[in-house]
Amino acid sequence: MDVIKVTHVQKRFGSKDALADVSFSIPKGEIFGFLGPSGSGKTTLIKILTAQLNTTNGQATVLNQPAGMMHHSAQKMRFGILTDNSGLYERLTIEENLELYRQLYDLPKASIDRVLQFVNLSGERKKRFSVLSKGMRQRAILACAIIHEPELLFLDEPTSALDPVNAAHIYKGLRYLNEKGTTIFLTTHNMAEAELLCHRVAILYQGSIKAIGSPKELKRQYRDNQVRIELTNGEIHELPQGEETADRIADWMKRGFIDRIETKEPSLGDIFIKMTGSELL
Amino acid sequence: MSISLKRIQAIFIKDYKEFTRNYAISIMVLFPIVFALLYRGNESAEMGTYGFLYNFTFAMLTSFIQACLIAEEKERNTLRSMMMTPASTWDVLIGKSALVFVISSAVLAVVTYLLGSEPANIGAFLIANILSIILYSALGTICGLFSKTLLEASLSVFPVLILFTGAPFGLLLVDDVPLLKVLDYMPSSQFIELLDVMQTTSAIGEVAKPLLIMLAWTIVLTVVSVVMYQKRLKDE
Ligand SMILES: Nc1ncnc2c1ncn2[C@@H]1O[C@H](COP(=O)(O)OP(=O)(O)OP(=O)(O)O)[C@@H](O)[C@H]1O
Ligand SMILES: [Mg+2]
C-alpha cells in the first residue's frame, strides 16, 4: 500500500514553476529522502502534501485521501510534520509545550515521558524553551511532531545546522520510529544523512525528479565504469573498462608495477552533482 | 467543522501560562484600572466619559492583547505548528480568544465597580459588554493575522484606537462635516449611546437598536476573522 502517491504534480507561482511535473510513490514503512539544491521545490512539495498549498495540476494522495483533505482533524491525527517554520512557545517549558500537544492529540499522560526519552530530553523537561540550545530546540520540536506516533512523518531538513551528536540523536529516534511503522518523508541537503537513513532517495532539480532509487541502486546505475590504478612509481591512472585498459593492466601486472586497483563507485554526492551541476553542502 | 472543548481548554491554559510570564503585555491590564481610579469621584464626569473609558479598554486591552498574542504566534511560527495538529479553526480561534475574554471581563468588572456607575438595565449593559469584547477581540485577531511581527501588531492598535475609540468624538463635528454621520454606526458610538439612553430608561425598545448594531458588528468581524484564519492555513 502506498502512503504517498504523487502523479504529474505541477505547482506554479506566478509564471514560474516551483514543481514542473513530479511523480513518485512511497510505500508504507519506507524512509524516503528528497534531495535537491536550494529552491528546487522540496518544501513546496511538503506543503502540497500537507494541504498548505494547492497543486496547479496533477494529483497527490496521502494516507488514502487527496492531499487537499490533510487539514481535516481526522487526517491530522495521522501525520506529524517538522519544518524550518515549526515553532514552540518560548515562555513554556519543554514539558508544558508537550502537554499542550498531548491534549491537542488527546493522548494519555505517559506519552510525554515516552517521547522525551525518545529525543533524549528527559533531563531538560523543566527548562523553558527559550533557554535551550539549537539542538535541544530541534529535538523538542521533533518531540511535539511525533508525540502521537504518527503513521506518516514529514521532515523538512531536520538536521540542518545541527552538530553530528545532535544529528545522531535524531537519526536514532527516527530509525526507532520507523521500525515501529512510521513512514518518513524527509528532505535534506546532506548526502551522508540520506545515505545513512533513507531506503530510497529522489533527486529533485528545477522542479522535476532527475533520479530515484535506493542509494545502492543509484550508485550502480551511475557508475561510470572507470578503474583506478595506482602504480608502484606513484602514478595514478583512471581508465575506462575495456580491452585496451585490460591490455595495459596486464602489461603493468606482468612487470609487477601495480600497487592497487579499484573500481570507482560514485558517492550520492557525485551523482547529485552530475544530475544538477551544483555542489551541495 | 469540529469543536473540541478539550482542545479549546488546552489552548486557553497554554495562553494563560504565557500571558502571566509576559510582563510587557500583561501590564496592559493596569491602564484601564488606573484611568478608572483617576475618574473616580470626579463629580463632573458624565456618562460620555465613562463610555470613553469602556471604549478605550476595548481597544487598548481587548484588541491590543489579542492582536499581540496572535502576531507573536505568527512571528514565532507556533501558529503554523498548531494548525498542523488536529485543532480546528474554531478550536484555535475560540481557545485563543477565551483568555482575552476572561481578562477583559475581569478588568471591566473592576472598572465598573470603581466608577460606581449603576446602569438602569443591567442585562443590556452586560450584553453590550459581551458583544463588545467579542467584536474587539475579533478585530484584534484580524490585526494580528495581518501583521507580520509583534511590533506591527502593537502598532496596528492605533488605527483601531483612532477609528473606534475616536468615533464618538468625530461625531461632535457632524454639523461641520455631515459625512461624519456614519461614525454614529460605529460600535463605540453605539456603546456610548446605550449608556446615555439607559440613564433615563431601561425600556427594551430603546436599548435594542444599539445592541442590534453592535451584534451586526460582532457577526461581521467574527466572520472576517474566521475567513482570514482559514486563508492563513494555506500558504499561497
Ligand atoms: N509562496 C511562494 N510564492 C512564490 N514563490 C514561491 C513560494 N514558495 C516557494 N516559492 C518558490 O518556489 C521555488 C521552490 O521553493 P522551495 O521552498 O520549495 O525550495 P526548497 O527546495 O525547499 O529550497 P531550500 O532547500 O532552500 O529549502 C523557489 O524558487 C521559491 O522562490
Ligand atoms: Mg525548503
Side-chain angles (χ1 to χ4, degrees), chain A residues 1-212:
Chain A
M1 187 199 77
D2 288 335
V3 172
I4 295 178
K5 190 163 177 51
V6 170
T7 33
H8 299 300
V9 160
Q10 184 200 17
K11 178 67 194 178
R12 181 164 277 255
F13 288 116
S15 62
K16 195 174 158 289
D17 276 345
L19 296 172
D21 179 0
V22 174
S23 302
F24 64 92
S25 50
I26 302 179
K28 190 171 161 44
E30 190 165 78
I31 303 183
F32 187 88
F34 242 90
L35 311 177
S38 207
S40 56
K42 303 182 296 294
T43 302
T44 303
L45 191 57
I46 287 192
K47 285 184 179 165
I48 286 173
L49 295 177
T50 51
Q52 298 178 67
L53 282 175
N54 294 321
T55 58
T56 308
N57 266 311
Q59 259 119 49
T61 310
V62 185
L63 296 166
N64 296 321
Q65 300 261 1
M69 303 288 279
M70 292 293 276
H71 64 275
H72 287 243
S73 293
Q75 283 296 82
K76 288 198 283 191
M77 291 296 282
R78 303 174 66 190
F79 78 91
I81 178 169
L82 178 145
T83 70
D84 46 1
N85 53 22
S86 302
L88 290 183
Y89 298 95
E90 303 268 337
R91 295 182 198 87
L92 303 187
T93 64
I94 295 182
E95 195 171 30
E96 288 167 334
N97 271 297
L98 283 167
E99 176 64 17
L100 170 67
Y101 278 78
R102 180 185 81 75
Q103 303 223 16
L104 293 179
Y105 285 105
D106 199 9
L107 302 169
K109 279 231 180 289
S111 45
I112 293 184
D113 294 331
R114 196 170 46 216
V115 81
L116 278 172
Q117 269 176 13
F118 203 87
V119 296
N120 211 1
L121 282 176
S122 299
E124 276 78 26
R125 59 194 299 159
K126 300 281 183 207
K127 282 193 182 155
R128 284 207 189 168
F129 188 70
S130 56
V131 305
L132 299 181
S133 72
K134 191 157 181 139
M136 288 178 190
R137 278 172 177 250
Q138 190 74 342
R139 280 187 279 147
I141 296 174
L142 179 67
C144 288
I146 61 176
I147 188 170
H148 57 305
E149 300 189 357
E151 289 168 58
L152 172 61
L153 180 60
F154 294 96
L155 300 168
D156 197 358
E157 298 177 26
T159 58
S160 62
L162 288 194
D163 68 79
V165 176
N166 269 305
H169 275 313
I170 288 187
Y171 298 153
K172 193 170 134 230
L174 294 181
R175 269 206 215 90
Y176 179 67
L177 205 62
N178 177 248
E179 273 158 26
K180 288 176 70 179
T182 299
T183 306
I184 299 177
F185 180 105
L186 162 107
T187 76
T188 181
H189 283 154
N190 183 334
M191 294 294 137
E193 173 173 306
E195 213 160 340
L196 200 69
L197 217 52
C198 298
H199 300 124
R200 279 194 312 145
V201 299
I203 296 180
L204 193 67
Y205 182 54
Q206 294 187 336
S208 14
I209 292 180
K210 301 293 180 198
I212 186 166

Side-chain angles (χ1 to χ4, degrees), chain B residues 82-146:
Chain B
M82 191 146 65
M83 285 169 172
M84 290 292 131
T85 72
S88 67
T89 301
W90 288 104
D91 293 341
V92 175
L93 286 182
I94 296 175
K96 282 214 72 71
S97 310
L99 178 71
V100 168
F101 189 90
V102 170
I103 294 170
S104 305
S105 308
V107 170
L108 287 165
V110 172
V111 165
T112 305
Y113 170 77
L114 288 177
L115 293 178
S117 62
E118 277 168 30
N121 188 333
I122 296 277
F125 180 73
L126 278 179
I127 294 173
N129 273 288
I130 291 171
L131 288 178
S132 295
I133 295 175
I134 297 174
L135 80 88
Y136 280 91
S137 67
L139 205 55
T141 302
I142 294 167
C143 291
L145 287 175
F146 256 120

